Amino acid sequence: MSAAVKKIYWIPLEASPESMNKVIHQMGVNPSVKFNDVYGFDDELLDMVAQPVHALVFLFPLTDGFESARKEEALSSENKVSPNVWFMRQTIGNACGTMAIFHALGNNQKTIPMDGNIAEFFKEVNGLLPEDKAKELEQSKPMEEAHTSGAIEGPSEVPEADAEMDLHFATYSIVDGDLYEFDGRMPAPINHGPATDVLRDGVRAIKKRIDQIGDGAHEFVVVSLNQDQQ
């Protein structure tokens, strides 16, 4: 009888631009591409967000009811998913922050300049099934090292890798004219319908999610993935 496979854990990543930027730049993403805080959802605050916006990353509290509702959406026959989405399942414990980064970068490979380890990783996994992408990530030392560099960067005390976490990340980005919600804990990306503006259409979807979460929804963070104008 074979021994049980031990689950892999990574140190939880903080939802701060500083930590997330450390990760992507060590991976090989061009320094012109950065995560930035979204300070609020009013028009004047959204007008302050640098353009272009490639993706939004949403940190939210985990609840059983909310997770079940999203899983039903992902499995629904009405959830039509483009074959061009880039999606990876999450098999590494507490790696949801970096999973959100992968989904932000993976669905914008044609527009985000990157090379080095991240470009090599995408070259290796593009075209694989979501589960097989996850297996490749489990074996990738350069990606783990990039994640760890950001996870120990934040101002908060660094938790244990296998710490019990009650917050989670999801990514919003547009693929083939539709806004998708990407979360490796879900069986598939969730299609939120036609969209032309990642920032404003993404915020509308996130506000609906906050309403669904209800109690505890004040514990959320939104950051945008932007690129400096050259």
Side-chain angles (χ1 to χ4, degrees):
M1 182 180 295
S2 61
V5 177
K6 186 176 180 180
K7 185 175 178 66
I8 299 170
Y9 287 89
W10 287 0
I11 299 170
L13 184 68
E14 209 169 313
S16 72
E18 294 79 13
S19 298
M20 299 171 79
N21 288 334
K22 179 86 172 181
V23 174
I24 64 173
H25 295 150
Q26 179 155 329
M27 284 178 171
V29 175
N30 189 281
S32 67
V33 179
K34 302 182 185 74
F35 284 100
N36 294 282
D37 285 310
V38 175
Y39 291 107
F41 298 155
D42 293 338
D43 284 341
E44 57 268 27
L45 292 174
L46 295 180
D47 286 340
M48 295 170 58
V49 177
Q51 294 288 340
V53 176
H54 295 293
L56 296 179
V57 173
F58 176 42
L59 178 77
F60 56 91
L62 284 171
T63 68
D64 291 340
F66 182 54
E67 291 296 277
S68 296
R70 291 200 304 146
K71 188 172 182 179
E72 285 184 19
E73 286 183 49
L75 293 172
S76 169
S77 60
E78 297 179 0
N79 184 41
K80 306 300 183 185
V81 178
S82 166
N84 295 319
V85 301
W86 193 97
F87 184 60
M88 177 164 61
R89 294 302 302 271
Q90 181 181 341
T91 56
I92 300 172
N94 288 337
C96 57
T98 296
M99 288 294 300
I101 288 173
F102 276 115
H103 285 128
L105 298 176
N107 286 289
N108 291 282
Q109 294 179 57
K110 293 181 179 178
T111 53
I112 292 178
M114 60 184 97
D115 53 24
N117 290 325
I118 188 63
E120 188 62 30
F121 180 78
F122 281 135
K123 184 178 178 181
E124 291 174 359
V125 305
N126 285 347
L128 296 182
L129 293 172
E131 296 78 8
D132 293 331
K133 291 187 180 78
K135 291 177 183 176
E136 291 296 324
L137 181 60
E138 290 179 359
Q139 303 299 318
S140 176
K141 271 297 177 190
M143 296 300 100
E144 181 182 4
E145 289 170 359
H147 165 91
T148 302
S149 72
I152 63 176
E153 178 80 5
S156 301
E157 182 177 347
V158 178
E160 295 294 326
D162 60 353
E164 191 74 25
M165 306 302 292
D166 58 2
L167 297 172
H168 190 61
F169 291 79
T171 298
Y172 293 79
S173 194
I174 293 175
V175 179
D176 291 342
D178 285 334
L179 179 74
Y180 286 91
E181 178 181 335
F182 297 94
D183 179 351
R185 286 165 56 107
M186 295 293 111
I190 298 172
N191 189 333
H192 285 273
T196 57
D197 184 331
V198 176
L199 179 60
R200 282 174 166 76
D201 292 328
V203 162
R204 275 192 286 272
I206 288 171
K207 287 168 72 174
K208 290 179 182 178
R209 289 307 197 201
I210 292 170
D211 289 341
Q212 285 179 284
I213 296 168
D215 292 342
H218 58 283
E219 299 181 75
F220 68 87
V221 174
V222 178
V223 297
S224 60
L225 181 63
N226 314 83
Q227 189 168 349
D228 292 342
Q229 297 281 5
Q230 298 298 316

